[in-house]
Amino acid sequence: MTRVERLRAEHLEDALGIGTATPRLSWEIGGFAQQQSYEVEVEFLDGRVTERVIVHSSASLFVPWPSRPLISREAARVRVRVWSDEDGGPSEWSEPLHVEAGLLERGDWNVDWVTAVPATSTVLEAPGAAREGARAAELMRAEFDIQGQPRAARIYVTAHGVYDLELNGIATSDEILAPGWSSYTHRIRYRTLDVTDLIRPGRNAVGAWIADGWYRGRLGFNGGVWDNYGTDTALLLQLEVDEGAGPRLVPLEWKVAASPIVATGLYEGERHDARLEQPGWSSPGFDDRGWTVPTTVPRSAFGATLEAPTGPPVRVVETLAPARAERRPDGRVLIDVAQNISGKLRLTGAGIPGGTIRIRHAEVLEADGELATRPLRSAVSIDEYTFASSDTVTWTPRFALHGFRYAEISGWPENAPLPVVEALVVHSDMRRTGWFDTGHPLLGRFHENVVWSMRDNFVDLPTDCPQRDERLGWSGDIQVFAPTAAFLYDTTGVLQNWLRDLATEQRETGSVLNFHPWIECGFPKDPAAAWGDAAVIVPWTLYRRTGDLGILSDQFDSMSAWVDQVFALTGETGHWSSGFQLGDWLDPAAPPDRPGDSRTDAHLVATAYHAHTARLVRDAAALLGRPADHERYAGIAARARAAFRDHYVSASGRVVSDTVTALALAITFRLLDGEAQYEVAGNRLAALVAEGEHLIQTGFVGTPIVCDALTTTGHVDDAYHLLLRTDAPSWLSAVTMGATTVWERWDSMLPDGSVNPGEMTSFNHYALGAVADFLHRVVGGISEIEPGYRRVRIAPRPGGGLADVSVQHDGPYGRIECAWTREAGRMQVRVRIPAGTTAEVDLPDGSDFVRTIGAGVHRFVFAHRSPADDPVRPRRWNIHNPEERAQMLAAGVA
């Protein structure tokens, strides 16, 4: 029987407080039947007549809202059923989806900001100078009366800073670090909370913890910046209850006091003094006569737009039990979580009244077993807790976040039992959508490391690292990693939010910056290729993976503005030959203190990216029905491509710089002319990779694409040998050294176990793990032909001695699977295709036959070499042998 599953509005399965009046609907079909028609039922929850609309269409992604637009606060219950080619009648109705609009108009807000900071300090000012240590958190509370049990109650809330909210002593949600980090000068997200079940007739109380967070806490490197967005912390909270006559505003009179969190910062850590706790402070009847009245600041004092969130909250998504808790002779307790995470520890135990425990964090240990804290730079990452009594307590930092595998607890009573320790994993609560499994233990662990590095760096926005004094939304990192990210998780909401900040700050500054949100911490604002190109590549990737043309529509002005800016910088020649560039960042040949010293010409990289992104904007313009723009960007793309060939490619197909990255760019971005040039370039690429003993010779730009470039030019065995090397620099070398995440540098840890001496050393960056996209598409064999995986390519390419690989992806239409095994000269491929999708199957069976299959489970068995027969070491040319030298010249690789 056909089933309708995963009904959602926009990209949200929780549509409470959605930020649009006409949310598009999407769903999946359970089973393998093909939808022919659908019916949408919209039941408005204000008592009006239910509306139903029947549409004769197979569409199930982003179908238009079938009824009149919602108004602010309006709620509806939505259901869908379908007719298919297998059933005589309609399916059962889907599970209903509650869709409720947030505050859609600026005038819907009827409260002002409240802050403990004097009103004269709340204006937005220039970033502050360095200060001594992190600030304390504050408590805010208000009481109110309700006559009877309300039909509904909503809180609309945000903050300058980060907040936790309680109602009648109970947390209103499990979200942490709300409202997250956005470009607060321009836009602030608010959350809609359903608190109906927490309110009771009579007296009630609401309370908020509030701290600096990203708003005025220290951000960035080179000492960091304080007060980047303002000098205040403030709360904006609107409580509305519906007692039968529609929503009414509940007036609140706030009071404020110091909290037991005496210092807290994202980099510094948190100090909590339990002796300062005030039990019952967020419950009614609490004696707050000693509290003070906060300052009220009009909403008009701040120009930022209030927006509903596009993505999921940040939460504690997993709890890990440490693998080891070791008491050292001096009383310190070493904790090994056995996994590098973004998060914090939670301790349960009893201490000495007035005694303080101290928790330090680090990603790795030095050779002598001590915490390696130098890579943290100035992010000291120390938490402290002072006991009020000898009672057993459970505590975790509220507003601090650390990147760590190891922690050291000092100050625990010598004769007391060790505390129960849990590691709390924190990131945006995205839905997992992609998996890769193989019997090759190192490759399987590497893929898990990629997943963990992504998780650890998706705390509300895509960051570079979760541990040191940086944690910024670097555009180059997410540009190269976006295809991998979009396969592994539903990242759409998180990345839409980040792209809005990028576009907003781009309009203000005239350029895409090297990280967003931007802070002035000494890094150049100059446009840089591969980093600024994120403005084009990230929305294009999201469109391809989700099928949501609205993403391109929303971002088109930003995409085109970037290409226009670069084209102007080239003097409209298409050749980007001047200015600041980051190039092929972290080329393994670069010295530890000069990570930008790449063997590849940075202006070659820049011109290649200009040609590539101009072509993507051209294609986006065509999809959006913008013929004039299509013509313009087709011309820019053609000019940039010609400029690349004129300046960097010989007539035979040799590419200047003559590096792995240069050749991979020319091949992957389709910048060469004719099959002969691609053959020469591919052969030369394979030769360079072999001459380098199949070790990594690429940085941020070349690493994600080198295996693709080898494979598309017929050198799949070279790609596998490069992929599976275990000596440094290679993808698997860190795995052999016990890494549980992807490192920033190929040699973040040296062979002797010491930490790389470079000032910039992290053990948790996802950028160099972007090759996982190759694992999904080529090794595993799943790639999209049409956006949203409406049409899929199944084309696994085995090699490297691998005997089995399984890849799964939950696409917009449902789960796609490709699993293959090889044994005794036979290969078996199992494919699963969901309803609404067709697939072209291109098997490595020696034929050129491409099958087209529909929904269902399909198996193919054919002759293929056994894993043991795979080439172990692809051919390496000996340039000193005259005969081989002649062969190289004939092949165009010398």
Side-chain angles (χ1 to χ4, degrees):
M1 184 69 178
T2 303
R3 305 180 309 280
V4 178
E5 301 175 345
R6 282 201 65 234
L7 178 61
R8 52 205 185 272
E10 293 300 322
H11 294 272
L12 301 169
E13 294 181 56
D14 179 358
L16 175 65
I18 199 165
T20 175
T22 55
R24 301 165 299 165
L25 303 175
S26 302
W27 58 88
E28 295 176 11
I29 303 298
F32 301 114
Q34 299 302 310
Q35 173 186 307
Q36 295 176 328
S37 302
Y38 66 85
E39 181 177 15
V40 181
E41 176 188 87
V42 180
E43 178 188 359
F44 290 97
L45 300 184
D46 59 0
R48 276 179 285 180
V49 177
T50 298
E51 297 183 19
R52 287 184 178 178
V53 176
I54 296 178
V55 180
H56 298 288
S57 170
S58 62
S60 60
L61 290 186
F62 309 110
V63 302
W65 180 250
S67 184
R68 60 163 184 78
L70 298 167
I71 61 174
S72 293
R73 308 174 181 86
E74 190 169 30
R77 184 178 294 112
V78 181
R79 300 191 300 173
V80 173
R81 62 179 179 176
V82 302
W83 285 260
S84 72
D85 58 358
E86 290 186 0
D87 302 320
S91 69
E92 297 292 327
W93 286 103
S94 68
E95 289 294 318
L97 175 68
H98 181 89
V99 178
E100 183 175 324
L103 301 182
L104 303 179
E105 305 293 336
R106 194 176 186 92
D108 293 324
W109 288 93
N110 296 297
V111 296
D112 290 319
W113 294 89
V114 289
T115 175
V117 179
T120 55
S121 300
T122 58
V123 293
L124 295 178
E125 300 170 350
R131 48 170 284 112
E132 290 297 326
R135 299 177 176 97
E138 295 163 332
L139 300 177
M140 291 185 180
R141 72 180 309 274
E143 295 196 14
F144 58 94
D145 290 311
I146 297 294
Q147 296 302 316
Q149 185 63 41
R151 291 172 46 183
R154 299 289 185 267
I155 286 178
Y156 305 96
V157 59
T158 190
H160 289 170
V162 286
Y163 69 87
D164 267 0
L165 204 61
E166 299 177 12
L167 188 59
N168 294 329
I170 301 172
T172 57
S173 77
D174 58 358
E175 181 175 8
I176 63 174
L177 299 176
W181 185 7
S182 58
S183 182
Y184 292 101
T185 308
H186 306 96
R187 49 187 296 272
I188 301 177
R189 288 161 293 162
Y190 70 90
R191 184 68 66 180
T192 301
L193 300 173
D194 181 352
V195 294
T196 308
D197 293 339
L198 296 180
I199 287 184
R200 55 196 185 216
R203 197 70 169 165
N204 293 262
V206 59
W209 302 76
I210 188 165
D212 287 4
W214 294 278
Y215 183 81
R216 70 169 190 177
R218 183 162 65 106
L219 300 173
F221 41 81
N222 294 330
V225 175
W226 293 89
D227 305 332
N228 190 59
Y229 299 102
T231 56
D232 64 309
T233 52
L235 184 72
L236 185 71
L237 187 149
Q238 184 160 309
L239 170 62
E240 298 181 358
V241 297
D242 183 350
E243 296 160 303
R248 71 170 179 87
L249 177 67
V250 177
L252 299 172
E253 296 184 359
W254 292 94
K255 286 193 172 183
V256 64
S259 84
I261 300 174
V262 297
T264 184
L266 294 166
Y267 296 172
E268 293 79 12
E270 189 160 299
R271 299 205 314 270
H272 185 108
D273 190 339
R275 297 170 298 182
L276 303 177
E277 292 176 351
Q278 302 184 58
W281 71 274
S282 63
S283 298
F286 175 78
D287 183 0
D288 61 7
R289 286 175 294 179
W291 291 40
T292 60
V293 176
T295 301
T296 299
V297 183
R299 291 188 316 282
S300 58
F302 305 101
T305 301
L306 293 164
E307 296 183 8
T310 59
V314 174
R315 293 188 172 105
V316 174
V317 295
E318 187 174 354
T319 300
L320 302 177
R324 177 166 57 114
E326 172 189 296
R327 193 189 289 268
R328 292 182 164 180
D330 61 3
R332 292 177 297 160
V333 180
L334 179 67
I335 302 296
D336 179 3
V337 177
Q339 174 61 54
N340 201 7
I341 69 169
S342 173
K344 51 191 179 178
L345 291 186
R346 181 168 62 198
L347 275 62
T348 299
I352 299 171
T356 298
I357 59 168
R358 194 178 206 222
I359 309 171
R360 301 168 63 225
H361 303 80
E363 295 182 291
V364 296
L365 299 178
E366 298 281 11
D368 61 2
E370 295 295 318
L371 298 185
T373 58
R374 180 176 59 82
L376 302 179
R377 298 193 300 216
S378 63
V380 295
S381 298
I382 296 174
D383 297 328
E384 293 182 350
Y385 181 85
T386 300
F387 290 89
S389 70
S390 58
D391 295 339
T392 298
V393 297
T394 297
W395 176 79
T396 185
R398 187 176 293 269
F399 296 121
L401 198 66
H402 311 291
F404 70 102
R405 170 177 171 170
Y406 297 94
E408 177 191 273
I409 304 171
S410 58
W412 196 263
E414 182 177 350
N415 298 320
L418 291 179
V420 175
V421 178
E422 300 166 292
L424 308 182
V425 180
V426 172
H427 58 74
S428 295
D429 194 7
M430 305 167 292
R431 185 175 65 94
R432 181 78 184 264
T433 57
W435 297 265
F436 174 90
D437 295 296
T438 176
H440 190 294
L442 295 180
L443 188 61
R445 179 65 238 191
F446 169 75
H447 189 271
E448 277 302 296
N449 291 0
V450 174
V451 173
W452 273 104
S453 280
M454 177 185 169
R455 294 175 66 183
D456 296 341
N457 282 292
F458 267 67
V459 180
D460 195 54
L461 73 160
T463 59
D464 57 326
C465 60
Q467 75 296 112
R468 69 177 177 227
D469 57 352
E470 196 163 344
R471 313 185 197 184
L472 303 175
W474 286 94
S475 45
D477 299 50
I478 190 56
Q479 180 267 124
V480 298
F481 193 73
T484 297
F487 187 93
L488 293 173
Y489 283 88
D490 181 357
T491 62
T492 309
V494 175
L495 294 181
Q496 278 182 309
N497 175 68
W498 181 77
L499 286 168
R500 288 183 181 182
D501 280 338
L502 180 153
T504 299
E505 294 182 336
Q506 178 189 18
R507 285 193 296 270
E508 179 183 63
T509 65
S511 181
V512 181
L513 305 176
N514 293 299
F515 50 82
H516 293 277
W518 179 255
I519 58 172
E520 296 283 1
C521 57
F523 199 82
K525 277 188 172 180
D526 309 63
W531 274 252
D533 290 290
V536 176
I537 293 171
V538 174
W540 180 261
T541 299
L542 291 178
Y543 160 67
R544 290 290 303 177
R545 297 302 176 87
T546 66
D548 184 0
L549 192 60
I551 294 172
L552 294 185
S553 179
D554 291 345
Q555 295 298 131
F556 186 80
D557 288 348
S558 169
M559 297 166 70
S560 57
W562 167 253
V563 172
D564 288 343
Q565 178 190 6
V566 173
F567 191 51
L569 289 172
T570 72
E572 299 191 352
T573 65
H575 181 213
W576 195 355
S577 58
S578 62
F580 170 82
Q581 294 294 342
L582 291 162
D584 193 24
W585 185 256
L586 283 174
D587 181 322
D593 58 340
R594 296 199 302 276
D597 285 3
S598 169
R599 289 167 286 194
T600 303
D601 186 331
H603 296 119
L604 178 152
V605 172
T607 304
Y609 263 95
H610 182 41
H612 178 55
T613 51
R615 184 171 61 247
L616 296 184
V617 173
R618 175 202 68 187
D619 294 347
L623 291 164
L624 294 171
R626 305 174 66 134
D629 287 326
H630 177 266
E631 182 178 359
R632 169 173 171 74
Y633 294 105
I636 293 175
R639 187 167 294 187
R641 185 170 181 267
F644 182 89
R645 294 200 306 274
D646 289 345
H647 288 87
Y648 301 111
V649 184
S650 72
S652 69
R654 290 292 295 271
V655 178
V656 302
S657 279
D658 198 33
T659 65
V660 171
T661 291
L663 288 157
L665 281 169
I667 294 166
T668 307
F669 287 178
R670 306 196 307 273
L671 300 175
L672 303 178
D673 192 16
E675 290 185 11
Q677 283 197 350
Y678 282 99
E679 182 178 2
V680 168
N683 288 340
R684 180 57 182 163
L685 174 63
L688 288 178
V689 168
E691 288 172 15
E693 299 185 0
H694 292 87
L695 296 172
I696 293 291
Q697 303 174 58
T698 51
F700 268 40
V701 168
T703 295
I705 59 175
V706 58
C707 288
D708 273 303
L710 287 166
T711 301
T712 57
T713 54
H715 303 281
V716 65
D717 291 321
D718 285 277
Y720 267 105
H721 193 39
L722 181 68
L723 181 68
L724 297 175
R725 282 301 304 265
T726 57
D727 297 337
S730 69
W731 283 292
L732 300 187
S733 61
V735 179
T736 66
M737 299 179 74
T740 62
T741 44
V742 178
W743 295 351
E744 179 178 24
R745 295 176 179 267
W746 298 108
D747 58 350
S748 285
M749 181 172 285
L750 303 180
D752 64 0
S754 62
V755 175
N756 187 293
E759 182 268 343
M760 186 191 73
T761 300
S762 162
F763 293 87
N764 204 347
H765 266 59
Y766 52 56
L768 297 179
V771 72
D773 186 53
F774 175 81
L775 298 181
H776 304 149
R777 290 181 294 99
V778 179
V779 177
I782 295 177
S783 59
E784 86 282 1
I785 298 175
E786 291 183 8
Y789 294 88
R790 179 76 175 186
R791 194 155 58 99
V792 180
R793 184 171 188 257
I794 302 295
R797 293 295 179 261
L802 299 186
D804 61 279
V805 166
S806 173
V807 178
Q808 302 173 351
H809 178 63
D810 286 347
Y813 293 97
R815 178 158 295 189
I816 305 161
E817 298 180 20
C818 180
W820 57 261
T821 58
R822 293 189 295 162
E823 186 178 9
R826 312 272 307 163
M827 181 170 179
Q828 177 173 285
V829 181
R830 179 187 180 276
V831 178
R832 184 190 190 278
I833 302 299
T837 298
T838 57
E840 294 182 2
V841 181
D842 181 3
L843 299 174
D845 57 2
S847 75
D848 295 327
F849 180 61
V850 176
R851 304 162 178 83
T852 298
I853 60 175
V857 176
H858 310 266
R859 286 181 173 82
F860 307 93
V861 181
F862 49 91
H864 198 279
R865 69 191 185 205
S866 297
D869 297 326
D870 287 342
V872 176
R873 292 185 177 274
R875 181 173 187 180
R876 294 174 57 192
W877 298 99
N878 181 359
I879 61 174
H880 303 294
N881 181 296
E883 183 177 341
E884 290 204 36
R885 176 73 176 174
Q887 294 176 11
M888 292 172 68
L889 289 169
V893 296

